[in-house]
Amino acid sequence: MKLQNPEKRYLFPEDYMADPSVHVFDGKIYIYPSHDWECANVENDNGDQYVMKDMHVLSIDGDPMTGKVTDHGKALDIADIPWAGRQLWDCDCVEKDGKYYLYFPLKDKNDIFRIGVAVADRPEGPFVAQPDPIRGSYSIDICVLKDGEDYYLYFGGLWGGQLQRYKDNKALEFPELPEGDAPSLPSRCVRLSKDMLQYAEEPRPIQVVDEEGNPLKANDPHRFFEASWVHKYNGKYYFSYSTGDSHLLCYAVGDNPYGPFVYQGEILTPVVGWTTHHSIIEYEGKWYLFHHDSVPSGGKSWLRSLKVCELHYDADGKILPIDGGGN
Ligand code: FUB
C-alpha cells in the first residue's frame, strides 16, 4: 500500500513529552503524555534512560492540526505516590460518572513495574493517587477502552517493560522471552471493577494472529512489543501497538475487546529515535494519529516530542500507512 506523507505538527515545542494517550472529553481533546527528562544514564535495553518523575496534561482548542495547545501543569508527581520507586511511564485516562481515572505504570521500591490509579474531578487533574497499586498488576503501557458499560485496560511491554517476567499472571523465577519460531509474547487485557480501582478478572492474553489464526512469531518484525492502543471503527476493534526493536507501529482487527486480532499491516514506518508510541482518535469526523519522535532533540531517544497528523482508511477499513521520517 502506498506510503502517505501527511502534514505533521509538533504539538508542544516548549518541552519534551512522549507516549501521547489522547481522548475527547466534553468535545475537547486532552493529551496524557509521558514527561521526558534529561538524564545521565547510559542508554540500555532496560530503559534506564526514561527517568520520568511527573506528568502534565495538555489540551487542544479545536482542530488538532492548528488549535492552541494548553499545558495544564503538573497533574501527577511521583513524590506524592506512597509506593513510588522510579520511572513514571505511559499513562491513560478515562471518564466515568463525572470522575477521571488516570492509570499509570511506575516502578515500586523493589524496581518492579506496577500499575496505579489516580482520580480527579476534572480531565486536567490534579490527580490523587490511591495508596497502593492495583492488586495483581504488572508491566507497563496503559490504554483504557470504554465499551458500552464496561471498561477494559490493556497493558504490557517487553524488555524494560518486564512483561517477560510473567506467565499466567504469575511472576516467574526466570524471565521467558520467546525467540525464533516460538509464538510472540502477547499484550494483556483486563476488565476493570465497577469502582474503577481494581481488576474485575484475571488479565487475558491479547493474541495478534495471521490469516490462519496462528499467533505472530517472536522473530516477526510485526509482532507486539509495547504501546497497546484500541479504538473502534465501523463496529470493529482496532488493536495497534509498537514493535519495539523493529520500530514500527502496526495494527490488527478483531470483533470484541479481547480479540483475537487479525494482523493487518503497518500504520507508521520508523521515526527518528528508538521508541515509537501513539494513540488514534476521531475528532469532528476526522481521524488523527498522535505519536512522538526525537527530531527536535537531535535524535536523543529519551528526549521526545509530541506530534500529530491525519490518518485515513480505505474503503475496506484498512489504515493507509504513514511515513515516520526515520530509517
Ligand atoms: O516512555 C517510556 C517507554 O518508552 C514507554 O513506556 C514505551 O512505550 C516507550 O515509548
Side-chain angles (χ1 to χ4, degrees), residues 168-170 189-191 199-205 258:
D168 299 330
N169 301 314
K170 306 272 182 310
C189 174
V190 59
R191 191 164 49 80
Y199 295 163
E201 59 182 1
E202 289 274 302
R204 307 184 196 189
Y258 297 117

Side-chain angles (χ1 to χ4, degrees), residues 173-217:
E173 193 173 349
F174 302 104
E176 285 180 10
L177 196 55
E179 290 178 0
D181 278 356
S184 51
L185 271 190
S187 169
R188 307 288 199 269
C189 174
V190 59
R191 191 164 49 80
L192 291 166
S193 59
K194 294 287 175 216
D195 68 4
M196 303 296 276
L197 301 179
Q198 298 293 339
Y199 295 163
E201 59 182 1
E202 289 274 302
R204 307 184 196 189
I206 293 302
Q207 297 293 355
V208 175
V209 299
D210 63 19
E211 294 290 341
E212 280 78 48
N214 303 309
L216 297 198
K217 294 173 178 159

